[in-house]
Amino acid sequence: MTLWAIIPVKPLKRGKSRLSSILSETERTTLNQSMLVNTLKTLKSISEIETVLVVSRDPSALAIARDFDARTVLEDGNPELNTALRRASMVAKAYHANEILVLPADLPLIKTEHLLEFLGYGTKPPEMIIAPDRRQDGTNALYINPADLIDFYYGSGSFSMHVDAAKKKNARIKIVETEEFGLDLDLPEDLEKLTEIENRVKSVSQA
């Protein structure tokens, strides 16, 4: 089987605009760059993933991706996220990808062992492994096998929509709810939560 990981990336200078009340544009750009690099390093460390594909309309983000030997798709104009993912999945399937993992670049707690555990829940198609955000609204990680099992429904309420779509295909569904997959950085309260978790981990390690 051939597994491709797809990372959708918003323009690095414009992404995370909802953090503008506490972070400057430069700080948000640096944050976006560091999270993308961390995601690329993590995915490239997993031998089960044959190819990493970054889709973005930001040439800077794609240049970073190529530094990690990832394939890239430059989006024209300002496509909606689901449209961009459909195009990226078409590229993956054209190269005979059987399985697809969609992983956003804004999950700061994700490490190699978390993704290996996530992918380890896979058995045989048709199946979907999905991790919701901590609000049980969005989708923070999505694995589908076969690669064309369902359409993409990212946006408000995507978690339940992805689950419903998989049910209609009679697919096996595994829901992964962990702190690592649940935390994405969209709002100021998310950064506060990240600081809280990091301080807790530091306290435990020093105990």
Side-chain angles (χ1 to χ4, degrees), residues 71-145:
R71 288 184 179 270
T72 59
V73 173
L74 175 63
E75 283 294 321
D76 294 327
N78 186 17
E80 188 251 351
L81 174 57
N82 293 309
T83 300
L85 285 173
R86 289 182 196 112
R87 292 172 180 168
S89 67
M90 288 175 64
V91 172
K93 285 181 284 188
Y95 283 91
H96 309 293
N98 303 107
E99 312 156 70
I100 286 177
L101 169 69
V102 179
L103 190 73
D106 63 348
L107 307 180
L109 298 176
I110 291 296
K111 296 180 180 179
T112 301
E113 58 264 31
H114 304 132
L115 273 174
L116 285 173
E117 182 179 5
F118 181 87
L119 294 171
Y121 290 115
T123 55
K124 61 180 180 180
E127 63 182 343
M128 179 180 77
I129 309 170
I130 186 169
D133 63 21
R134 63 193 183 98
R135 301 175 182 87
Q136 297 285 306
D137 181 69
T139 301
N140 280 0
L142 178 67
Y143 165 91
I144 52 176
N145 182 13

Side-chain angles (χ1 to χ4, degrees), residues 21-201:
S21 62
I22 58 173
L23 296 179
S24 67
E25 180 182 291
T26 299
E27 290 171 326
R28 295 197 307 277
T29 301
T30 300
L31 175 64
N32 290 328
Q33 288 174 336
S34 64
M35 288 195 297
L36 174 58
V37 167
N38 179 66
T39 303
L40 286 163
K41 286 181 177 179
T42 302
L43 290 171
K44 295 296 286 187
S45 70
I46 298 174
S47 60
E48 289 83 354
I49 297 174
E50 178 182 273
T51 302
V52 176
L53 175 63
V54 175
V55 56
S56 180
R57 60 189 176 94
D58 184 350
S60 298
L62 299 181
I64 293 173
R66 286 190 288 270
D67 287 341
F68 289 87
D69 296 321
R71 288 184 179 270
T72 59
V73 173
L74 175 63
E75 283 294 321
D76 294 327
N78 186 17
E80 188 251 351
L81 174 57
N82 293 309
T83 300
L85 285 173
R86 289 182 196 112
R87 292 172 180 168
S89 67
M90 288 175 64
V91 172
K93 285 181 284 188
Y95 283 91
H96 309 293
N98 303 107
E99 312 156 70
I100 286 177
L101 169 69
V102 179
L103 190 73
D106 63 348
L107 307 180
L109 298 176
I110 291 296
K111 296 180 180 179
T112 301
E113 58 264 31
H114 304 132
L115 273 174
L116 285 173
E117 182 179 5
F118 181 87
L119 294 171
Y121 290 115
T123 55
K124 61 180 180 180
E127 63 182 343
M128 179 180 77
I129 309 170
I130 186 169
D133 63 21
R134 63 193 183 98
R135 301 175 182 87
Q136 297 285 306
D137 181 69
T139 301
N140 280 0
L142 178 67
Y143 165 91
I144 52 176
N145 182 13
D148 57 356
L149 176 67
I150 63 170
D151 199 358
F152 299 110
Y153 300 98
Y154 282 88
S156 179
S158 70
F159 170 59
S160 61
M161 285 189 279
H162 285 137
V163 170
D164 288 344
K167 286 179 178 178
K168 291 178 181 177
K169 293 297 183 72
N170 296 314
R172 186 184 71 87
I173 301 169
K174 172 63 179 178
I175 298 173
V176 178
E177 297 181 69
T178 66
E179 190 171 62
E180 291 81 13
F181 279 104
L183 181 64
D184 53 358
L185 298 185
D186 284 325
L187 302 170
E189 65 192 61
D190 297 326
L191 274 178
E192 294 172 6
K193 182 68 174 178
L194 175 61
T195 301
E196 174 190 318
I197 293 171
E198 289 176 337
N199 289 338
R200 187 184 71 218
V201 172

